Every structure is written in structure tokens, then in C-alpha cells.
Amino acid sequence: MTSLPHPISAEEMKEFKRDGAVLLKGMLNDHWLQILEEGIEYAIDTPDTMSTGLDRPLRIDQFPAGRSPKLQTILKESPIPEIVSTLLDAPVRFYMDQMFCKPAGELPPTPWHQDTCYYNIEGHQLIRAWVSIDPVPRNISMEVVKGSHLWNVTYRSVSGKPREDDPTGAAEADKQLEKGTPILGVDSHKNFSYSNGFFDETLPTVPDINGNRDSFDIKGWDYEPGDVLLFHGNILHGAVGGVTLAHPRRSYASLWAGPDVYYLHRRGQILPDPVELYRYAPETGQLLSEFPDVFPVLADKRAG
Ligand SMILES: O=C(O)CCC(=O)C(=O)O
């Protein structure tokens, strides 16, 4: 017995595997949309040290469910974990969440990027569940490069600073890596910035997708509140900017991990580890399942 409003079709499952992304229509009813809106609005009104862009047209918050009880409810009780578990056919653990708010007016773009290079985790069973409480028409939609989740490449993050800008900090970061401790310590939760970390210049840069759109197989959607967009952690994704919207675009994205996801000390870490993980001093290669109190299974909808 599923509590999903309708089952995920075999076609949709196939689409996710093939393209690395699928839009599931009408998965959150008005009850969930109300809770989501309250959760997002609460987070907007209570910025913390992980909020960036307060004075700019792109507000991004890391781990907003940490302070917004209604977002906690979304993570634990809404259909989202079940959806992800069904899609993976595996038990899923919540890793982290982010909120992206673009106010009404001319929208800034979301640059093309991959998510996994930002975090100290790696694995094929990483799924992002992206939802919005506002309609997001195709011309400002999240977009993905179809199939790029299978390219077997990790791109350089589009944030972070070059090592030569801060040689002392870079030497310290390299020492941390050698010791097997994360570059961004638990204190980085107190003063988060996208340029606290160093991008990994040994990784290739993201290709110029907008400059060569015809060369890429780009997929986007007309998104309606209630839909759930699922995309793979390794997929190239972004959103076009420069379009004027009469209402804000408030989105909430959670990252979910299946059994193969493990911890990895990244040279280009940009986002700190979840705060509760630091006390375990995790080592590269440890599965998230080794930290069940930090990452409990929130849904297990295996078919058989
Ligand atoms: O909502 C957006 O524009 C950005 C979302 C995003 O990049 C993500 O969820 O990884």
C-alpha cells in the first residue's frame, strides 16, 4: 500500500534512469503545499549564518529544515521520501536541504553546475527532490542536460576561491585533507559563504552550455506547485535568468541518499558537512549507513 497520491509509472522510472531527471506531476496536495509554504516563509523570515544573498536577488539557505519545523515535517512526513525510495527501489536517508528564493522581477540565472562536487559525499544513488510553491514556467525552469549523470565526470564547482588567492588558507586546507579531516570544519556553519572553500582546479570546468545550447540535449519543464522534480546528484543542471516574473520563485530542494552513498573528503568542498556528522570524524569510504543516527532511513519502498 502506497501513500503516494498516484503511483509512479514504469515509464517515469525509465525516464529517470535514462535522462537522470523526471518531473512527477501532482504529487503534493494542498495540505502539503500549505506546510511547504509556511516552512519556506518561516525560513525566509529567520535567516541564519547559513543564509546567503540576503541583499541580492538570489537568496540561498543551507540546511533550512534545521530551524524550520514545517520543513522538517515535509522531510519526514510528506510523500517526498517515499517518492525517492520508490524511484531508487531502495531505502533512503536524508542528507541535506537548501532553499532558493528569487524575488519577483528580473530573475537571476542559476549557473549550470553539478551538485555532488560541492559536498563530501559520492555515490550513484543520490537524488535531489526539487519543489516550488510558485509556478515555474518552462522559460525559467530548472533545466538538465539529459543523460549527463552517466558521463562519469566530476566538474569543478562554480563557487569557491582559487588556491592562489589565499595561499595560506590553501596550505591549511591541504594539511586538513592529508590528516583526513574536512576542509570546512564545524565552525564554517557559523559564517557560511560560497567562497569559504577552494574549488578543485584539477577538475574540468563545466562546459559553456548556454553558449552552445544546440550542442546539448537540454530538458526543462512547465512546473506547477504540487509537482516534484527529481534529478540525479551528478546531473548538469541550471536555470535561465534575465526573464521578468510577476511573482517570486521560492524553491526547496532536498538531497537523498540510497545505500551506495559514501563519505569522501573532497579537495573542492564548498558546503560543510551536516553539523551532527562532525563528532564522528568520518573517513573517506564510510557509507552513510554507518551513521544511522545522523542519517536515519526515512522511507523504504522496495518493491520486493
Ligand atoms: O532553484 C534553483 O534555481 C537552483 C536549484 C539547484 O541548483 C539545486 O537544487 O541543486
PDB file of all heavy atoms in Angstrom, residues 246-275:
ATOM      1  N   ALA A 246       6.284  38.033 -12.485  1.00  0.00           N
ATOM      2  CA  ALA A 246       5.430  38.899 -11.660  1.00  0.00           C
ATOM      3  C   ALA A 246       5.354  38.421 -10.210  1.00  0.00           C
ATOM      4  O   ALA A 246       4.882  39.149  -9.344  1.00  0.00           O
ATOM      5  CB  ALA A 246       4.033  38.946 -12.264  1.00  0.00           C
ATOM      6  N   HIS A 247       5.769  37.205  -9.967  1.00  0.00           N
ATOM      7  CA  HIS A 247       5.713  36.677  -8.595  1.00  0.00           C
ATOM      8  C   HIS A 247       7.072  36.079  -8.243  1.00  0.00           C
ATOM      9  O   HIS A 247       7.889  35.813  -9.137  1.00  0.00           O
ATOM     10  CB  HIS A 247       4.601  35.622  -8.477  1.00  0.00           C
ATOM     11  CG  HIS A 247       4.756  34.485  -9.445  1.00  0.00           C
ATOM     12  ND1 HIS A 247       5.673  33.481  -9.277  1.00  0.00           N
ATOM     13  CD2 HIS A 247       4.112  34.217 -10.615  1.00  0.00           C
ATOM     14  CE1 HIS A 247       5.577  32.630 -10.285  1.00  0.00           C
ATOM     15  NE2 HIS A 247       4.647  33.053 -11.123  1.00  0.00           N
ATOM     16  N   PRO A 248       7.316  35.853  -6.944  1.00  0.00           N
ATOM     17  CA  PRO A 248       8.624  35.254  -6.605  1.00  0.00           C
ATOM     18  C   PRO A 248       8.706  33.801  -7.061  1.00  0.00           C
ATOM     19  O   PRO A 248       7.689  33.190  -7.423  1.00  0.00           O
ATOM     20  CB  PRO A 248       8.662  35.343  -5.077  1.00  0.00           C
ATOM     21  CG  PRO A 248       7.260  35.499  -4.638  1.00  0.00           C
ATOM     22  CD  PRO A 248       6.487  36.112  -5.763  1.00  0.00           C
ATOM     23  N   ARG A 249       9.905  33.284  -7.031  1.00  0.00           N
ATOM     24  CA  ARG A 249      10.113  31.856  -7.337  1.00  0.00           C
ATOM     25  C   ARG A 249      10.849  31.285  -6.128  1.00  0.00           C
ATOM     26  O   ARG A 249      12.029  31.519  -5.923  1.00  0.00           O
ATOM     27  CB  ARG A 249      10.958  31.730  -8.600  1.00  0.00           C
ATOM     28  CG  ARG A 249      11.430  30.335  -8.978  1.00  0.00           C
ATOM     29  CD  ARG A 249      12.445  30.531 -10.071  1.00  0.00           C
ATOM     30  NE  ARG A 249      13.112  29.375 -10.595  1.00  0.00           N
ATOM     31  CZ  ARG A 249      14.104  28.721  -9.999  1.00  0.00           C
ATOM     32  NH1 ARG A 249      14.482  29.049  -8.782  1.00  0.00           N
ATOM     33  NH2 ARG A 249      14.708  27.737 -10.624  1.00  0.00           N
ATOM     34  N   ARG A 250      10.065  30.619  -5.263  1.00  0.00           N
ATOM     35  CA  ARG A 250      10.601  30.109  -3.998  1.00  0.00           C
ATOM     36  C   ARG A 250      10.682  28.582  -4.079  1.00  0.00           C
ATOM     37  O   ARG A 250       9.642  27.918  -4.167  1.00  0.00           O
ATOM     38  CB  ARG A 250       9.686  30.529  -2.835  1.00  0.00           C
ATOM     39  CG  ARG A 250       9.615  32.033  -2.594  1.00  0.00           C
ATOM     40  CD  ARG A 250       8.381  32.429  -1.787  1.00  0.00           C
ATOM     41  NE  ARG A 250       7.158  32.198  -2.528  1.00  0.00           N
ATOM     42  CZ  ARG A 250       5.919  32.313  -2.025  1.00  0.00           C
ATOM     43  NH1 ARG A 250       5.768  32.656  -0.753  1.00  0.00           N
ATOM     44  NH2 ARG A 250       4.860  32.077  -2.776  1.00  0.00           N
ATOM     45  N   SER A 251      11.902  28.070  -4.092  1.00  0.00           N
ATOM     46  CA  SER A 251      12.027  26.621  -4.245  1.00  0.00           C
ATOM     47  C   SER A 251      12.778  26.000  -3.071  1.00  0.00           C
ATOM     48  O   SER A 251      13.526  26.684  -2.357  1.00  0.00           O
ATOM     49  CB  SER A 251      12.706  26.276  -5.571  1.00  0.00           C
ATOM     50  OG  SER A 251      13.995  26.823  -5.632  1.00  0.00           O
ATOM     51  N   TYR A 252      12.546  24.718  -2.902  1.00  0.00           N
ATOM     52  CA  TYR A 252      13.119  23.971  -1.789  1.00  0.00           C
ATOM     53  C   TYR A 252      13.623  22.635  -2.337  1.00  0.00           C
ATOM     54  O   TYR A 252      12.883  21.911  -2.990  1.00  0.00           O
ATOM     55  CB  TYR A 252      12.036  23.746  -0.726  1.00  0.00           C
ATOM     56  CG  TYR A 252      12.512  22.935   0.455  1.00  0.00           C
ATOM     57  CD1 TYR A 252      13.492  23.436   1.303  1.00  0.00           C
ATOM     58  CD2 TYR A 252      11.988  21.673   0.714  1.00  0.00           C
ATOM     59  CE1 TYR A 252      13.941  22.695   2.381  1.00  0.00           C
ATOM     60  CE2 TYR A 252      12.421  20.928   1.801  1.00  0.00           C
ATOM     61  CZ  TYR A 252      13.401  21.455   2.627  1.00  0.00           C
ATOM     62  OH  TYR A 252      13.854  20.727   3.693  1.00  0.00           O
ATOM     63  N   ALA A 253      14.890  22.346  -2.077  1.00  0.00           N
ATOM     64  CA  ALA A 253      15.477  21.131  -2.649  1.00  0.00           C
ATOM     65  C   ALA A 253      16.101  20.303  -1.542  1.00  0.00           C
ATOM     66  O   ALA A 253      16.868  20.821  -0.721  1.00  0.00           O
ATOM     67  CB  ALA A 253      16.531  21.505  -3.684  1.00  0.00           C
ATOM     68  N   SER A 254      15.748  19.026  -1.505  1.00  0.00           N
ATOM     69  CA  SER A 254      16.340  18.129  -0.504  1.00  0.00           C
ATOM     70  C   SER A 254      17.164  17.072  -1.234  1.00  0.00           C
ATOM     71  O   SER A 254      16.827  16.680  -2.356  1.00  0.00           O
ATOM     72  CB  SER A 254      15.244  17.486   0.358  1.00  0.00           C
ATOM     73  OG  SER A 254      14.158  17.051  -0.437  1.00  0.00           O
ATOM     74  N   LEU A 255      18.225  16.632  -0.581  1.00  0.00           N
ATOM     75  CA  LEU A 255      19.123  15.649  -1.201  1.00  0.00           C
ATOM     76  C   LEU A 255      19.039  14.344  -0.424  1.00  0.00           C
ATOM     77  O   LEU A 255      19.211  14.335   0.801  1.00  0.00           O
ATOM     78  CB  LEU A 255      20.556  16.199  -1.191  1.00  0.00           C
ATOM     79  CG  LEU A 255      21.603  15.354  -1.919  1.00  0.00           C
ATOM     80  CD1 LEU A 255      21.297  15.232  -3.414  1.00  0.00           C
ATOM     81  CD2 LEU A 255      22.999  15.969  -1.744  1.00  0.00           C
ATOM     82  N   TRP A 256      18.796  13.264  -1.165  1.00  0.00           N
ATOM     83  CA  TRP A 256      18.517  11.957  -0.573  1.00  0.00           C
ATOM     84  C   TRP A 256      19.552  10.943  -1.031  1.00  0.00           C
ATOM     85  O   TRP A 256      19.988  10.972  -2.188  1.00  0.00           O
ATOM     86  CB  TRP A 256      17.109  11.512  -0.989  1.00  0.00           C
ATOM     87  CG  TRP A 256      16.079  12.471  -0.495  1.00  0.00           C
ATOM     88  CD1 TRP A 256      15.661  13.614  -1.118  1.00  0.00           C
ATOM     89  CD2 TRP A 256      15.373  12.417   0.746  1.00  0.00           C
ATOM     90  NE1 TRP A 256      14.735  14.269  -0.337  1.00  0.00           N
ATOM     91  CE2 TRP A 256      14.531  13.548   0.812  1.00  0.00           C
ATOM     92  CE3 TRP A 256      15.364  11.507   1.818  1.00  0.00           C
ATOM     93  CZ2 TRP A 256      13.692  13.803   1.900  1.00  0.00           C
ATOM     94  CZ3 TRP A 256      14.525  11.756   2.897  1.00  0.00           C
ATOM     95  CH2 TRP A 256      13.700  12.888   2.931  1.00  0.00           C
ATOM     96  N   ALA A 257      19.892  10.037  -0.115  1.00  0.00           N
ATOM     97  CA  ALA A 257      20.962   9.077  -0.398  1.00  0.00           C
ATOM     98  C   ALA A 257      20.457   7.650  -0.268  1.00  0.00           C
ATOM     99  O   ALA A 257      19.848   7.289   0.742  1.00  0.00           O
ATOM    100  CB  ALA A 257      22.110   9.305   0.579  1.00  0.00           C
ATOM    101  N   GLY A 258      20.743   6.850  -1.284  1.00  0.00           N
ATOM    102  CA  GLY A 258      20.480   5.411  -1.217  1.00  0.00           C
ATOM    103  C   GLY A 258      21.710   4.694  -0.644  1.00  0.00           C
ATOM    104  O   GLY A 258      22.701   5.330  -0.263  1.00  0.00           O
ATOM    105  N   PRO A 259      21.656   3.338  -0.612  1.00  0.00           N
ATOM    106  CA  PRO A 259      22.686   2.562   0.106  1.00  0.00           C
ATOM    107  C   PRO A 259      24.112   2.726  -0.405  1.00  0.00           C
ATOM    108  O   PRO A 259      25.054   2.472   0.341  1.00  0.00           O
ATOM    109  CB  PRO A 259      22.230   1.109  -0.084  1.00  0.00           C
ATOM    110  CG  PRO A 259      20.777   1.197  -0.413  1.00  0.00           C
ATOM    111  CD  PRO A 259      20.538   2.506  -1.089  1.00  0.00           C
ATOM    112  N   ASP A 260      24.331   3.138  -1.664  1.00  0.00           N
ATOM    113  CA  ASP A 260      25.731   3.174  -2.133  1.00  0.00           C
ATOM    114  C   ASP A 260      26.443   4.491  -1.821  1.00  0.00           C
ATOM    115  O   ASP A 260      27.608   4.673  -2.184  1.00  0.00           O
ATOM    116  CB  ASP A 260      25.816   2.822  -3.632  1.00  0.00           C
ATOM    117  CG  ASP A 260      25.459   3.995  -4.553  1.00  0.00           C
ATOM    118  OD1 ASP A 260      25.081   5.078  -4.069  1.00  0.00           O
ATOM    119  OD2 ASP A 260      25.553   3.814  -5.791  1.00  0.00           O
ATOM    120  N   VAL A 261      25.785   5.406  -1.143  1.00  0.00           N
ATOM    121  CA  VAL A 261      26.392   6.738  -0.947  1.00  0.00           C
ATOM    122  C   VAL A 261      27.367   6.717   0.231  1.00  0.00           C
ATOM    123  O   VAL A 261      27.042   6.235   1.313  1.00  0.00           O
ATOM    124  CB  VAL A 261      25.301   7.808  -0.751  1.00  0.00           C
ATOM    125  CG1 VAL A 261      25.931   9.167  -0.467  1.00  0.00           C
ATOM    126  CG2 VAL A 261      24.418   7.880  -2.003  1.00  0.00           C
ATOM    127  N   TYR A 262      28.567   7.197  -0.040  1.00  0.00           N
ATOM    128  CA  TYR A 262      29.621   7.158   0.977  1.00  0.00           C
ATOM    129  C   TYR A 262      30.261   8.528   1.173  1.00  0.00           C
ATOM    130  O   TYR A 262      30.111   9.423   0.344  1.00  0.00           O
ATOM    131  CB  TYR A 262      30.678   6.105   0.625  1.00  0.00           C
ATOM    132  CG  TYR A 262      31.395   6.353  -0.683  1.00  0.00           C
ATOM    133  CD1 TYR A 262      32.594   7.065  -0.717  1.00  0.00           C
ATOM    134  CD2 TYR A 262      30.893   5.857  -1.887  1.00  0.00           C
ATOM    135  CE1 TYR A 262      33.258   7.286  -1.909  1.00  0.00           C
ATOM    136  CE2 TYR A 262      31.548   6.081  -3.092  1.00  0.00           C
ATOM    137  CZ  TYR A 262      32.736   6.799  -3.095  1.00  0.00           C
ATOM    138  OH  TYR A 262      33.394   7.031  -4.285  1.00  0.00           O
ATOM    139  N   TYR A 263      30.972   8.642   2.279  1.00  0.00           N
ATOM    140  CA  TYR A 263      31.648   9.892   2.625  1.00  0.00           C
ATOM    141  C   TYR A 263      32.952  10.001   1.831  1.00  0.00           C
ATOM    142  O   TYR A 263      33.636   9.011   1.587  1.00  0.00           O
ATOM    143  CB  TYR A 263      31.941   9.906   4.133  1.00  0.00           C
ATOM    144  CG  TYR A 263      32.446  11.238   4.601  1.00  0.00           C
ATOM    145  CD1 TYR A 263      31.563  12.278   4.862  1.00  0.00           C
ATOM    146  CD2 TYR A 263      33.804  11.472   4.732  1.00  0.00           C
ATOM    147  CE1 TYR A 263      32.026  13.525   5.262  1.00  0.00           C
ATOM    148  CE2 TYR A 263      34.272  12.708   5.131  1.00  0.00           C
ATOM    149  CZ  TYR A 263      33.377  13.729   5.393  1.00  0.00           C
ATOM    150  OH  TYR A 263      33.839  14.960   5.768  1.00  0.00           O
ATOM    151  N   LEU A 264      33.296  11.220   1.434  1.00  0.00           N
ATOM    152  CA  LEU A 264      34.508  11.445   0.633  1.00  0.00           C
ATOM    153  C   LEU A 264      35.077  12.825   0.964  1.00  0.00           C
ATOM    154  O   LEU A 264      34.382  13.838   0.812  1.00  0.00           O
ATOM    155  CB  LEU A 264      34.130  11.392  -0.856  1.00  0.00           C
ATOM    156  CG  LEU A 264      35.178  11.828  -1.865  1.00  0.00           C
ATOM    157  CD1 LEU A 264      36.337  10.838  -1.888  1.00  0.00           C
ATOM    158  CD2 LEU A 264      34.563  11.913  -3.264  1.00  0.00           C
ATOM    159  N   HIS A 265      36.337  12.855   1.430  1.00  0.00           N
ATOM    160  CA  HIS A 265      36.983  14.157   1.683  1.00  0.00           C
ATOM    161  C   HIS A 265      37.323  14.789   0.343  1.00  0.00           C
ATOM    162  O   HIS A 265      38.224  14.333  -0.347  1.00  0.00           O
ATOM    163  CB  HIS A 265      38.266  13.962   2.500  1.00  0.00           C
ATOM    164  CG  HIS A 265      37.998  13.654   3.932  1.00  0.00           C
ATOM    165  ND1 HIS A 265      37.432  14.568   4.794  1.00  0.00           N
ATOM    166  CD2 HIS A 265      38.192  12.532   4.652  1.00  0.00           C
ATOM    167  CE1 HIS A 265      37.301  14.029   5.991  1.00  0.00           C
ATOM    168  NE2 HIS A 265      37.741  12.789   5.933  1.00  0.00           N
ATOM    169  N   ARG A 266      36.603  15.827  -0.027  1.00  0.00           N
ATOM    170  CA  ARG A 266      36.851  16.464  -1.328  1.00  0.00           C
ATOM    171  C   ARG A 266      37.800  17.647  -1.186  1.00  0.00           C
ATOM    172  O   ARG A 266      37.639  18.464  -0.283  1.00  0.00           O
ATOM    173  CB  ARG A 266      35.538  16.994  -1.924  1.00  0.00           C
ATOM    174  CG  ARG A 266      34.751  15.962  -2.636  1.00  0.00           C
ATOM    175  CD  ARG A 266      33.588  16.600  -3.383  1.00  0.00           C
ATOM    176  NE  ARG A 266      32.540  15.616  -3.565  1.00  0.00           N
ATOM    177  CZ  ARG A 266      32.515  14.717  -4.546  1.00  0.00           C
ATOM    178  NH1 ARG A 266      33.458  14.707  -5.461  1.00  0.00           N
ATOM    179  NH2 ARG A 266      31.525  13.855  -4.638  1.00  0.00           N
ATOM    180  N   ARG A 267      38.679  17.745  -2.160  1.00  0.00           N
ATOM    181  CA  ARG A 267      39.607  18.875  -2.229  1.00  0.00           C
ATOM    182  C   ARG A 267      38.845  20.163  -2.541  1.00  0.00           C
ATOM    183  O   ARG A 267      39.257  21.256  -2.186  1.00  0.00           O
ATOM    184  CB  ARG A 267      40.601  18.541  -3.350  1.00  0.00           C
ATOM    185  CG  ARG A 267      41.728  19.490  -3.484  1.00  0.00           C
ATOM    186  CD  ARG A 267      42.879  18.855  -4.261  1.00  0.00           C
ATOM    187  NE  ARG A 267      43.991  19.791  -4.264  1.00  0.00           N
ATOM    188  CZ  ARG A 267      44.164  20.723  -5.169  1.00  0.00           C
ATOM    189  NH1 ARG A 267      43.321  20.824  -6.186  1.00  0.00           N
ATOM    190  NH2 ARG A 267      45.175  21.565  -5.088  1.00  0.00           N
ATOM    191  N   GLY A 268      37.700  20.014  -3.205  1.00  0.00           N
ATOM    192  CA  GLY A 268      36.931  21.193  -3.596  1.00  0.00           C
ATOM    193  C   GLY A 268      35.655  21.338  -2.771  1.00  0.00           C
ATOM    194  O   GLY A 268      34.647  21.834  -3.286  1.00  0.00           O
ATOM    195  N   GLN A 269      35.701  20.906  -1.514  1.00  0.00           N
ATOM    196  CA  GLN A 269      34.481  21.010  -0.691  1.00  0.00           C
ATOM    197  C   GLN A 269      34.036  22.467  -0.572  1.00  0.00           C
ATOM    198  O   GLN A 269      34.809  23.352  -0.216  1.00  0.00           O
ATOM    199  CB  GLN A 269      34.735  20.451   0.721  1.00  0.00           C
ATOM    200  CG  GLN A 269      33.479  20.497   1.578  1.00  0.00           C
ATOM    201  CD  GLN A 269      33.720  20.091   3.037  1.00  0.00           C
ATOM    202  OE1 GLN A 269      34.855  20.054   3.506  1.00  0.00           O
ATOM    203  NE2 GLN A 269      32.640  19.792   3.740  1.00  0.00           N
ATOM    204  N   ILE A 270      32.745  22.711  -0.860  1.00  0.00           N
ATOM    205  CA  ILE A 270      32.186  24.068  -0.786  1.00  0.00           C
ATOM    206  C   ILE A 270      31.131  24.150   0.324  1.00  0.00           C
ATOM    207  O   ILE A 270      30.970  25.176   0.968  1.00  0.00           O
ATOM    208  CB  ILE A 270      31.541  24.480  -2.134  1.00  0.00           C
ATOM    209  CG1 ILE A 270      32.566  24.389  -3.287  1.00  0.00           C
ATOM    210  CG2 ILE A 270      30.928  25.871  -2.063  1.00  0.00           C
ATOM    211  CD1 ILE A 270      33.733  25.355  -3.177  1.00  0.00           C
ATOM    212  N   LEU A 271      30.404  23.055   0.517  1.00  0.00           N
ATOM    213  CA  LEU A 271      29.349  23.055   1.539  1.00  0.00           C
ATOM    214  C   LEU A 271      29.803  22.217   2.735  1.00  0.00           C
ATOM    215  O   LEU A 271      30.294  21.093   2.565  1.00  0.00           O
ATOM    216  CB  LEU A 271      28.055  22.472   0.963  1.00  0.00           C
ATOM    217  CG  LEU A 271      27.459  23.287  -0.191  1.00  0.00           C
ATOM    218  CD1 LEU A 271      26.255  22.587  -0.797  1.00  0.00           C
ATOM    219  CD2 LEU A 271      27.060  24.673   0.284  1.00  0.00           C
ATOM    220  N   PRO A 272      29.670  22.770   3.950  1.00  0.00           N
ATOM    221  CA  PRO A 272      30.093  21.997   5.118  1.00  0.00           C
ATOM    222  C   PRO A 272      29.284  20.720   5.294  1.00  0.00           C
ATOM    223  O   PRO A 272      28.168  20.610   4.780  1.00  0.00           O
ATOM    224  CB  PRO A 272      29.847  22.950   6.295  1.00  0.00           C
ATOM    225  CG  PRO A 272      29.133  24.124   5.783  1.00  0.00           C
ATOM    226  CD  PRO A 272      29.102  24.070   4.282  1.00  0.00           C
ATOM    227  N   ASP A 273      29.845  19.777   6.023  1.00  0.00           N
ATOM    228  CA  ASP A 273      29.105  18.544   6.339  1.00  0.00           C
ATOM    229  C   ASP A 273      27.937  18.894   7.256  1.00  0.00           C
ATOM    230  O   ASP A 273      27.989  19.907   7.971  1.00  0.00           O
ATOM    231  CB  ASP A 273      30.019  17.564   7.092  1.00  0.00           C
ATOM    232  CG  ASP A 273      31.218  17.120   6.263  1.00  0.00           C
ATOM    233  OD1 ASP A 273      31.245  17.409   5.054  1.00  0.00           O
ATOM    234  OD2 ASP A 273      32.126  16.487   6.846  1.00  0.00           O
ATOM    235  N   PRO A 274      26.901  18.050   7.294  1.00  0.00           N
ATOM    236  CA  PRO A 274      25.838  18.270   8.289  1.00  0.00           C
ATOM    237  C   PRO A 274      26.455  18.331   9.685  1.00  0.00           C
ATOM    238  O   PRO A 274      27.361  17.552  10.008  1.00  0.00           O
ATOM    239  CB  PRO A 274      24.944  17.030   8.121  1.00  0.00           C
ATOM    240  CG  PRO A 274      25.178  16.579   6.717  1.00  0.00           C
ATOM    241  CD  PRO A 274      26.629  16.895   6.436  1.00  0.00           C
ATOM    242  N   VAL A 275      25.987  19.259  10.492  1.00  0.00           N
ATOM    243  CA  VAL A 275      26.667  19.576  11.750  1.00  0.00           C
ATOM    244  C   VAL A 275      26.801  18.360  12.669  1.00  0.00           C
ATOM    245  O   VAL A 275      27.826  18.164  13.332  1.00  0.00           O
ATOM    246  CB  VAL A 275      25.960  20.792  12.425  1.00  0.00           C
ATOM    247  CG1 VAL A 275      24.687  20.425  13.118  1.00  0.00           C
ATOM    248  CG2 VAL A 275      26.887  21.550  13.317  1.00  0.00           C
TER     249      VAL A 275
END
